[in-house]
Amino acid sequence: MLAGSVAMLVWMFWEWRETKRPSFSGVLVGAVAGLATITPASGYVEPIAALAIGAIGATACYFAKYVQKWLKIDDTLEVWRAHGVGGLTGALLIGIMASSHINQVSASLQQFGVQLLAVLVVGAYASFVTFMILTGLDRFGTLRVPEEIQEEGLDTMLGERAFNLWNMDRTLPK
């Protein structure tokens, strides 16, 4: 709760500083980023460290958008930023903020090395498995729907309209 709350506020701060106003979806992503960041560390840190982890996680996840843009990652739901970067950050912060009062793991250079190795192994494994799954799926069809369908809404492929509130017209003026 502490990490998610402070992460929401820190995300709002960065967004406000950059765009001159916070957005509702932004603060929600910030809260999720804080929760994703504290998850690996939750059984190893004290409450004050949870506050720091939330703030550090929100900052890392917020500014990961520049890496995302550089890598050309199409991530509408911001899963890579919130969960990927947040989880990686939280796992590394165990090596810096773990308390033996909470669990039998203490922050140290050795523990940071263990966490770094674990992050690298899991990252390599996840990348390989994801690549294999996407390669297999791509052999049976396309992974990306045409631009027209994206604009219309993916739910129309299934004959549904998720947001047809009171039969309102959702088409954008051209």
Side-chain angles (χ1 to χ4, degrees):
M1 179 212 42
L2 295 174
S5 300
V6 77
M8 181 180 75
L9 294 173
V10 168
W11 189 287
M12 185 172 67
F13 166 79
W14 289 121
E15 193 171 42
W16 207 325
R17 189 159 186 244
E18 186 173 329
T19 65
K20 306 296 183 233
R21 68 175 189 82
S23 69
F24 183 65
S25 63
V27 296
L28 293 178
V29 172
V32 170
L35 294 171
T37 305
I38 194 62
T39 297
S42 63
Y44 301 98
V45 298
E46 295 181 10
I48 193 73
L51 292 171
I53 288 172
I56 293 166
T59 301
C61 294
Y62 183 84
F63 288 104
K65 68 182 171 184
Y66 298 111
V67 176
Q68 184 176 351
K69 189 179 214 175
W70 181 68
L71 292 174
K72 297 180 179 154
I73 297 173
D74 182 13
D75 186 11
T76 305
L77 299 176
E78 307 210 30
V79 174
W80 180 79
R81 276 173 65 190
H83 295 279
V85 174
L88 179 145
T89 303
L92 290 176
L93 289 174
I94 292 171
I96 297 171
M97 298 186 182
S99 171
S100 60
H101 292 76
I102 303 297
N103 208 322
Q104 294 181 355
V105 175
S106 293
S108 66
L109 188 57
Q110 178 186 0
Q111 186 61 43
F112 183 79
V114 168
Q115 297 304 125
L116 180 60
L117 178 62
V119 164
L120 293 173
V121 169
V122 169
Y125 171 78
S127 297
F128 175 75
V129 171
T130 300
F131 176 78
M132 296 305 294
I133 291 170
L134 293 177
T135 300
L137 289 172
D138 197 36
R139 289 186 190 264
F140 297 106
T142 56
L143 290 175
R144 191 172 184 97
V145 297
E147 191 75 28
E148 317 80 67
I149 294 177
Q150 285 186 40
E151 288 181 20
E152 174 79 22
L154 296 178
D155 53 346
T156 59
M157 289 176 61
L158 302 172
E160 299 287 332
R161 286 193 84 61
F163 300 102
N164 189 10
L165 302 175
W166 304 288
N167 293 320
M168 293 173 25
D169 185 14
R170 293 186 334 147
T171 56
L172 296 174
K174 295 194 181 197

